[in-house]
Amino acid sequence: MKNKLLIKTFIDILLILIGLALAIFGILTIASAKAKKDRCNFLIEPIKEASERYISKKFPFWYNIAVAKVETNCKWRMSVDGHGSIGYFQLTPKFLDKYLRPLFPDYDKPYSKQHIEAAVYYIGMLWRSNPEWLKKLWVTYQRYNGGNWVIIECKRAKSNKWEDCYKYCRRRKVCVWKKHGKCIQWKSACEINYTYSQKVYRYGQKWSSLLCPKQRIERELIFPFW
């Protein structure tokens, strides 16, 4: 009888230990998954600081974090687009050097803080150069991604609304997947550019929670996205 009691106690203790081990494993797995998803965390502070310095202390910086997320998933990469673009924000020296190099001479160097500052400075340039009737962040980010076509389309639509401008988009298709020098998949440049702003907005919501609702709403009113 005593032996049976000891065996039962041993089994109970073993089951408890197994349960604890599984619980710890589960917690570690979740933590690891979150760490992978949050690979942009190390960019939060420098992007926030640059946004408030080069654009405005009231700028909704979370959308600039989202740009790095959309462009490269916050990884330092070289020439994803085939135009020699670099870094987290995929800045393109052949187009932007004349604006960025004098102020940020090291913006194209790996892991340089100037890369972040240059990208945010350029986003600020785009915002300030938007026509007054198009002072929307969605227009700014689409210009960042695809140039000034969006302004032309909004002029055609006589509207500053995303859905109206999209209806007037007439652009060529671009190759998004090549294999052995041959294009495997084509995609509409309109779709690429107009979904870009949607992605920036969607990803940005994650980091907007870094501020209290009152501060967040205040910034959104000054810099409306849509």
Side-chain angles (χ1 to χ4, degrees), residues 22-163:
L22 289 172
I24 292 169
F25 177 76
I27 291 168
L28 291 174
T29 301
I30 293 170
S32 176
K34 283 185 176 179
K36 287 181 181 177
K37 289 180 182 178
D38 295 340
R39 67 166 64 250
C40 296
N41 280 356
F42 75 103
L43 291 174
I44 292 173
E45 282 305 315
I47 290 176
K48 179 178 182 292
E49 181 184 328
S51 299
E52 293 177 352
R53 180 191 305 169
Y54 293 108
I55 305 178
S56 167
K57 289 189 179 297
K58 298 294 185 180
F59 191 81
F61 61 87
W62 46 90
Y63 293 125
N64 288 343
I65 302 170
V67 171
K69 172 71 175 178
V70 174
E71 289 287 343
T72 61
N73 198 23
C74 300
K75 298 176 184 177
W76 184 275
R77 301 181 68 180
M78 301 295 289
S79 194
V80 174
D81 58 5
H83 292 292
S85 300
I86 53 169
Y88 310 116
F89 288 89
Q90 287 297 282
L91 297 173
T92 312
K94 69 178 179 179
F95 299 134
L96 301 177
D97 245 17
K98 59 183 177 181
Y99 305 115
L100 303 181
R101 187 73 65 183
L103 295 171
F104 311 100
D106 293 331
Y107 81 92
D108 57 347
K109 293 184 178 169
Y111 311 108
S112 169
K113 188 179 179 182
Q114 286 190 7
H115 176 78
I116 297 167
E117 294 173 335
V120 170
Y121 177 83
Y122 179 55
I123 290 169
M125 279 180 56
L126 294 173
W127 165 262
R128 286 185 288 273
S129 64
N130 282 348
E132 283 303 316
W133 61 283
L134 277 178
K135 286 288 186 182
K136 305 281 187 178
L137 286 178
W138 76 266
V139 174
T140 300
Y141 291 118
Q142 284 190 207
R143 289 180 67 199
Y144 183 92
N145 170 252
N148 291 331
W149 284 104
V150 63
I151 294 178
I152 296 169
E153 289 146 8
C154 290
K155 284 180 179 177
R156 287 177 190 158
K158 297 178 181 178
S159 173
N160 61 9
K161 294 181 179 178
W162 180 95
E163 56 270 25

